[in-house]
Amino acid sequence: NNIGDEGAGKIAEALKENKSVTAIDLNNNNIGPAGAGKIAEALQTNTSVTAIDLVNNYIGDEGAKKIAEALKDNIFVTKLYITNNNMSDELKNSIISLVNLNKLFQEAIQSGSSVLNLSTNNIGDEGAGKIAEALKENKSVTAIYLNNNNIGPAGAGKIAEALQTNTSVTGIHLADNNIGDEGAGKIAEALKEN
């Protein structure tokens, strides 16, 4: 189809409004960094798209960074095909990690369980931020296990913010992380209000 950046931008604009499309196949469409940026913008608000195929485009590191940033806030994309896009392995691996975290999170939520166990997944502060955003909306999860995840003070702060508005969580497990005194203080303050 060779829609390029302009066509990707138009599709992205539609996705900002559309809540029924779950998969987008933009394989081999001459999409560059600008088009990837538009798709990334749409992913920041779209909650229905779970699968995206961007194989054989030219998004490069610039476009990959924009998509990675969008995936930090988007918990719904669980399949993203990005091979052959002129991007560094580091960025590709970062995007893959974010999508894998989404898969874990969605599986836990869809199981109907009130317990979210994401222990030993090396989610770090970025993953903690994703979980915090989801907890602001989700009222069914009552216990969260985030042990051994390389979460630092910044991630603990994000979780603390979520706990200020989410009153359904009655247990949070953060053993074997790196939250330190700063992170523990933020969690403690949030628990006073929870």
Side-chain angles (χ1 to χ4, degrees):
N1 290 323
N2 201 28
I3 65 171
D5 290 338
E6 184 178 342
K10 289 178 181 178
I11 289 171
E13 284 302 312
L15 288 175
K16 289 179 182 177
E17 305 296 323
N18 186 295
K19 302 300 177 202
S20 60
V21 172
T22 59
I24 309 166
D25 185 349
L26 297 173
N27 183 337
N28 204 25
N29 267 295
N30 201 29
I31 298 171
K38 296 292 183 185
I39 292 166
E41 285 176 26
L43 292 178
Q44 291 175 342
T45 57
N46 183 288
T47 59
S48 64
V49 172
T50 60
I52 305 170
D53 186 342
L54 288 170
V55 172
N56 294 325
N57 283 290
Y58 305 95
I59 66 173
D61 282 354
E62 182 184 341
K65 284 178 188 173
K66 292 174 184 176
I67 289 180
E69 281 300 311
L71 289 174
K72 289 178 185 177
D73 296 324
N74 179 307
I75 62 168
F76 303 100
V77 175
T78 58
K79 295 177 185 171
L80 178 60
Y81 307 99
I82 54 171
T83 56
N84 199 21
N85 263 296
N86 298 321
M87 71 179 76
S88 69
D89 286 343
E90 180 182 342
L91 276 169
K92 184 168 42 175
N93 290 336
S94 174
I95 290 170
I96 290 168
S97 293
L98 289 165
V99 171
N100 285 340
L101 178 60
N102 283 357
K103 281 184 202 172
L104 288 170
F105 192 71
Q106 290 301 322
E107 287 169 6
I109 296 299
Q110 291 171 5
S111 72
S113 174
S114 61
V115 176
L116 177 61
N117 187 346
L118 294 174
S119 294
T120 316
N121 277 295
N122 198 32
I123 65 171
D125 290 338
E126 287 180 3
K130 276 183 163 247
I131 290 165
E133 284 303 311
L135 287 175
K136 289 178 183 177
E137 304 297 322
N138 184 295
K139 304 300 180 202
S140 63
V141 173
T142 59
I144 308 167
Y145 290 83
L146 297 172
N147 303 329
N148 193 27
N149 268 307
N150 200 27
I151 298 171
K158 291 173 185 175
I159 291 169
E161 286 176 27
L163 291 176
Q164 290 175 338
T165 59
N166 181 315
T167 57
S168 65
V169 174
T170 58
I172 185 160
H173 304 267
L174 290 164
D176 298 318
N177 282 292
N178 302 310
I179 66 172
D181 291 342
E182 180 185 348
K186 291 175 181 178
I187 297 282
E189 283 301 311
L191 292 178
K192 288 179 184 177
E193 298 176 26
N194 182 300

